[in-house]
Every structure is written in C-alpha cells, then in structure tokens.
Amino acid sequence: MSQNETLLQVRDLAVEFVMGEQCQRVVEGVSFDIRKGETLALVGESGSGKSVTAHSILRLLPYPLARHPAGSIEYAGQDLLKLGEGRLRGIRGNRIAMVFQEPMTSLNPLHTIEKQINEVLALHKGLRGKAASARTLELLELVGIPEPKKRLKAYPHELSGGQRQRVMIAMALANEPELLIADEPTTALDVTVQLKILELLKDLQARLGMSLLLISHDLNLVRRIAHRVCVMQRGRIVEQASCEELFQAPQHPYTRELLGAEPSGDPAANPAGQPLLEVDDLRVWFPIKKGLLRRTVDHVKAVDGINFSLPQGQTLGIVGESGSGKSTLGMAILRLLASRGDIRFQGQQLQGLSQQEVRPLRRQMQVVFQDPFGSLSPRMSVAQIVGEGLRIHGMGNEAEQEQAIIDALLEVGLDPQTRHRYPHEFSGGQRQRIAIARALVLKPALILLDEPTSALDRTVQRQVVELLRGLQAKYNLTYLFISHDLAVVRALSHQLMVVKQGQVVEQGSAESIFSAPQHPYTQQLLEAAFMAPATAH
C-alpha cells in the first residue's frame, strides 16, 4: 500500500482543561499527518501531551472539562472535532481503534474473553452466535494467543499481562480498522513480552495494511517500529523527522536529552568488603490446598534454593520477568515473608529470630519500593514520612531528628523547605527521592531497591540512578537491586543474578554476564532489553 496517501491530518490542535475559573492549555499548535500503512510515533515524557493528543482523535477526553479552542483533525474528508456523536461512533472502534496502556483496567473482569470480543463484533458488524465465536477464535489466533480455544472461556485475571494485551489488540482489530492508536501498549510488560507485542503489531500492520499511531516514552521501542517520529515537550511538537534521521542526527536539545537519557556509566568503584549478607538454600514455598479438608497437594515454589554472598559496599542486581520470584526473594531476606534456609546479616542468623528480635536490625536494612505514591502515606507530610524511622528507633532528640531530616532531603537533592508539604504535591521522581531519603535517614548498611525506577521517565530514571550511585560511593552502602530493566541494572550492579521461576539460571560478576551471557534465558533477556534497531522498515 502506498505510504504517500494521507489518512489523517492534524492541524494546529490545541487542548485546554477548564477547572472552575482556571483554564490550563496542555496541547498547543500540534500538527502532523499519518499516511496509509505507516507507523508514526508520538514520543515524550509524562505530561508532554502525547496521550491527550491521541485521545483527541477519537474525542475520548473528559468533555466538557476538556475543549479544543483551535485546530482540526481531518479523516476521510471530515473534521472529527466537529462531527456529531452518532457519526463519530461509526468511526470509533470501527475505522479507528485504540489499544490502551493497562489491559487489566480496560478489560471487564466479570466477562470471559469470548464475550468481550463478541460484544465488539455484535456492535459494529452485527455478528452473533456461531459466526461471532468463529471470528473471535480467528482473532485470538491472529494475535498469537497460545491454545486460543481454551482461552475463549477464560477471564482476564486468568491470563498473563502479555496475553491480556494481545486480547486488547484482538478487540481493536475486530473491525479491521484503518488506523490503530496504541497508547503505551507495552509499558506494563516485561522486556521479552514487549518485544513480542512489538513484533506482533509490526506483522499485523504489514498483513492488514493499517496505519499505526504509537504513543511511547521508550525510544528504544520506537526505533524498532516507527517510520516517522514526533517528539513532544510541554504540549508542543519540538521535532518531527523520519526515524532514521531523528536517531542519527537529532536537531532539538530536548530530543538529544531524551536520546542520551539511557542510564549509563559504571557501578560505584567501592572496594568489596566483608560479606554483609549471606543467603544459603533459601526457599519460599506456598502450599496449594485442595478438597474438603484443604489438604496440601503441591507447592508453588516462588523461591527455590537460592544462594549468594553479598560483600559490603557492593550491589547485587536480581533480574527476571514478572512472576520469577525476585520480589518474593527480597521480602524473604527482610523477614517480611516466612522462608526456609539460612539468612545471615552482619554475621547474625536471622532465621529463628522473633519479629521483636528482628526489629533492632530493621534500622540497618531499609527498603525502597516500586511505586513511591503507594508507599508514601498521603496523610503525612514529607518531614513526618522521612522522620518516622527516627522516632520508632528513638534516634536523637527532636532538634537532632529535624536536622537529620533536613540533611537526608539535601542528600537526595530536595529542598528542605518543602518538607512540610504532602506527597501529592511532588512529581514521581521527587516522590522516589523522598522514599530514598526515608531509607537513608537511618544510616542503614543495606538497602533493598525493589524496581525503584520502573514507574519513572527515562531522564528521571537516569537522575535516580546517578543519585543511588553517588550515595553508595559516599556511604559505602550495600544494595540489593531488583529490576526487570537491564539498562538500569547494568549501570548500578557489581554482581548479577538471573532468576527464572524461583531458581537462579545464571549468576556472577555483572560485567562478565553482560558481555558474555551463558544461559539462553539470559541471552534472550539481554537481546530484548538492548534491542538493536530493526533493519526492515
């Protein structure tokens, strides 16, 4: 299909949100074309206006709070912004379809996969009964769902994240749209699954000849699939070019910043000290109970016989996909989950200690979680959050505690004057800095970092990685770093452990594993994480 025919034309689009007396313009003067059979990527960080722009195409914004003071979106000779609701419904989901970021919230948890896809077919195509079921099966096969017949009667919670995203794509493709809008379609997925979904979209596009508008903050991903790229910053397009040109010779400073935002550099050059944490044959098994008497018939082996020794001042990176047991391992080490096997911290055996006996050691072992918004109490000010540990462990008087809070906030690059504000008044990156300050204020020996950067934009990730590296060098901290993001792991870790289904498939020095991975699973993870640009466009 020719790529010169324009399918959709966006001209001088503006979007405002009206809140009471206030009016905030979030998109300004945005113009781009999508040609038939082409992939256009809208790229930018959170808050850049890319999703608002994409949602404007199908008028999915919260009207009348949202409005378009200027601009037009031309499709098939008509302006979608001026179209009546009835006619727009004929286009929405039919000619132009959308795949959202989080499949779990987009699918109905009460209905089977078959029922949800059948509904789309009935609504737009008038297909019902056997004809609808046959088409649904065909669509599930098209998007590569394994054993599609068995999956028809499944509910969303019974599928993995990648399978749910494939179901969303199947629903979007049910009416063979001319344009598919994919809004961050792989953000919530593991790297290997991301790669498969990406290849699926590319393959479907070639087979069905449809156009694709991809919204993403991940340039690595865009590079593999897009023909052209629009870079958005603060509601405006700052650069627009072919994918090749943009990656080879970016013109705008912001594009250059985004391209250079991949976490890089070497881990902190701390000498390896005495073993701080030693784990021997650690197991976390969850019983599977069945029958009237709830007898244990088997176990889910979430962590199954893991061993390692972590010297003081070093970082052990633990990588693997969702469900591999990484976080369970971290929680077991901190004695937040029951486990079997030996855990020695600073030479002391932790297994067999009561929670009361473990408490004094908690000061030495701190944790930073994945979602800073979920792990910070919305009812506490930053000063209360950061100072809570000091109060619990009775460290210093009130004036000394206040000074420790100020020092911790300065360490993580936050203005101590903001300590009386609440978490919702800060950005995601700032909230993660608050969570790091909370761990740091107790001067711990070990910090468990459980996916601490996965919810953040690349440029913010880079800042957090540099902060963690600097703090480790300064205080000789020891990190257990759990992540599925190998670029971040590479920038921080001295040792690496690759976990799959609760077992270690490869472990050793991070440098040697990154340069010459031995296990096929490690090779697969690395290939997916450091994707080379696709050659065929």
Side-chain angles (χ1 to χ4, degrees):
M1 188 177 282
S2 155
Q3 278 186 13
N4 299 328
E5 281 182 78
T6 301
L7 183 73
L8 187 96
Q9 251 185 1
V10 178
R11 289 291 173 269
D12 296 319
L13 180 71
V15 182
E16 288 176 345
F17 286 108
V18 186
M19 291 163 210
E21 298 295 301
Q22 287 183 314
C23 177
Q24 189 188 9
R25 196 166 280 212
V26 291
V27 170
E28 177 76 274
V30 163
S31 299
F32 59 84
D33 292 348
I34 300 174
R35 299 172 196 142
K36 288 191 174 177
E38 130 179 291
T39 300
L40 177 75
L42 278 185
V43 178
E45 296 184 293
S46 309
S48 62
K50 52 189 193 304
S51 286
V52 173
T53 300
H55 289 202
S56 299
I57 295 172
L58 288 174
R59 300 222 308 258
L60 296 174
L61 297 174
Y63 304 102
L65 294 176
R67 64 182 186 204
H68 302 286
S72 64
I73 300 174
E74 294 264 332
Y75 168 76
Q78 39 200 356
D79 184 353
L80 298 180
L81 296 181
K82 295 196 172 87
L83 217 55
E85 190 57 42
R87 289 179 66 194
L88 185 64
R89 210 173 288 140
I91 291 172
R92 198 187 278 151
N94 205 4
R95 308 309 319 131
I96 303 176
M98 192 151 190
V99 177
F100 296 97
Q101 178 170 352
E102 187 36 83
M104 200 55 185
T105 51
S106 311
L107 292 170
N108 188 328
L110 303 176
H111 294 317
T112 63
I113 299 308
E114 180 176 28
K115 186 171 181 184
Q116 295 189 57
I117 301 178
N118 281 5
E119 203 177 334
V120 176
L121 293 168
L123 195 67
H124 291 283
K125 286 256 195 282
L127 285 182
R128 285 181 177 78
K130 279 186 178 168
S133 293
R135 176 70 178 140
T136 296
L137 190 61
E138 205 177 286
L139 286 163
L140 292 182
E141 277 169 6
L142 183 70
V143 297
I145 293 259
E147 301 182 83
K149 254 196 179 124
K150 282 186 184 172
R151 297 283 185 255
L152 287 173
K153 299 290 179 231
Y155 289 87
H157 72 272
E158 296 177 287
L159 303 181
S160 70
Q163 288 170 340
R164 286 197 289 264
Q165 197 57 290
R166 285 170 189 264
V167 170
M168 284 294 301
I169 294 168
M171 284 169 81
L173 296 178
N175 303 305
E176 296 161 21
E178 285 191 290
L179 172 64
L180 180 65
I181 302 171
D183 188 0
E184 298 273 14
T186 62
T187 304
L189 307 175
D190 288 315
V191 281
T192 49
V193 184
Q194 281 187 5
L195 190 56
K196 286 173 187 156
I197 294 289
L198 208 61
E199 281 167 356
L200 168 70
L201 284 172
K202 219 165 135 182
D203 176 52
L204 290 171
Q205 184 186 23
R207 274 202 270 170
L208 307 173
M210 67 180 177
S211 304
L212 184 61
L213 175 61
L214 178 71
I215 292 113
S216 182
H217 65 272
D218 187 340
L219 285 159
N220 215 346
L221 197 113
V222 164
R223 192 173 188 169
R224 279 193 84 91
I225 191 170
H227 299 102
R228 284 186 308 119
V229 183
C230 295
V231 180
M232 287 192 75
Q233 183 190 25
R234 295 195 197 104
R236 292 176 178 275
I237 289 180
V238 294
E239 184 164 355
Q240 193 169 156
S242 77
C243 197
E244 211 172 318
E245 280 172 54
L246 189 98
F247 281 92
Q248 280 175 2
Q251 301 299 308
H252 196 275
Y254 178 66
T255 312
R256 290 201 284 269
E257 187 190 338
L258 278 185
L259 288 170
E262 190 85 357
S264 60
D266 298 317
N270 292 8
Q274 292 297 313
L276 179 81
L277 178 68
E278 294 165 284
V279 168
D280 202 19
D281 194 24
L282 191 68
R283 297 189 303 284
V284 180
W285 290 12
F286 298 110
I288 300 170
K289 295 176 188 276
K290 282 200 175 155
L292 202 59
L293 301 173
R294 310 300 292 150
R295 286 209 176 100
T296 299
V297 293
D298 203 351
H299 288 85
V300 172
K301 298 177 181 179
V303 173
D304 195 17
I306 283 182
N307 309 291
F308 67 83
S309 169
L310 176 58
Q312 177 142 12
Q314 302 281 291
T315 300
L316 169 64
I318 303 172
V319 301
E321 296 179 295
S322 308
S324 61
K326 317 183 289 293
S327 293
T328 306
L329 171 64
M331 295 299 115
I333 288 166
L334 294 181
R335 286 288 313 275
L336 296 171
L337 267 181
S339 63
R340 297 221 174 138
D342 284 351
I343 305 167
R344 283 183 301 285
F345 177 67
Q346 294 176 325
Q348 185 174 357
Q349 174 64 264
L350 298 188
Q351 296 285 40
L353 294 184
S354 68
Q355 285 300 334
Q356 194 124 18
E357 290 168 316
V358 172
R359 182 172 278 183
L361 294 169
R362 292 244 180 264
R363 189 176 84 73
Q364 292 292 329
M365 308 159 78
Q366 287 295 301
V367 62
V368 175
F369 294 101
Q370 174 171 358
D371 174 15
F373 203 58
S375 64
L376 303 177
S377 168
R379 295 192 179 89
M380 291 165 80
S381 70
V382 168
Q384 290 170 323
I385 288 167
V386 175
E388 189 178 20
L390 298 171
R391 291 190 295 280
I392 288 169
H393 292 286
M395 293 165 70
N397 59 34
E398 212 168 305
E400 287 166 337
Q401 287 181 4
E402 186 77 1
Q403 192 53 51
I405 293 165
I406 289 169
D407 291 346
L409 290 173
L410 285 168
E411 283 284 9
V412 298
L414 288 174
D415 179 358
Q417 298 296 322
T418 61
R419 68 185 182 279
H420 303 300
R421 292 190 194 163
Y422 289 82
H424 72 270
E425 298 177 70
F426 294 86
S427 70
Q430 288 171 325
R431 286 198 287 263
Q432 201 54 294
R433 286 171 187 265
I434 294 164
I436 295 168
R438 172 174 62 182
L440 204 64
V441 76
L442 297 170
K443 305 276 185 281
L446 173 75
I447 300 182
L448 169 71
L449 300 151
D450 190 359
E451 300 268 17
T453 61
S454 64
L456 307 174
D457 283 317
R458 266 300 193 217
T459 51
V460 184
Q461 278 188 4
R462 186 179 185 142
Q463 291 160 12
V464 171
V465 165
E466 282 165 6
L467 169 68
L468 289 168
R469 199 190 280 149
L471 292 170
Q472 182 171 38
K474 188 172 179 183
Y475 295 112
N476 202 28
L477 290 168
T478 309
Y479 293 150
L480 261 180
F481 191 84
I482 294 170
S483 184
H484 67 270
D485 188 332
L486 288 143
V488 175
V489 170
R490 186 180 207 163
L492 275 173
S493 304
H494 303 89
Q495 295 183 23
L496 191 64
M497 187 157 89
V498 183
V499 187
K500 185 183 185 189
Q501 289 164 350
Q503 295 185 326
V504 175
V505 295
E506 191 163 351
Q507 77 188 105
S509 96
E511 202 180 337
S512 63
I513 292 177
F514 275 111
S515 56
Q518 300 301 305
H519 196 277
Y521 179 66
T522 313
Q523 290 164 358
Q524 189 189 352
L525 278 182
L526 289 174
E527 187 192 344
F530 303 106
M531 302 179 199
T535 43
H537 258 328

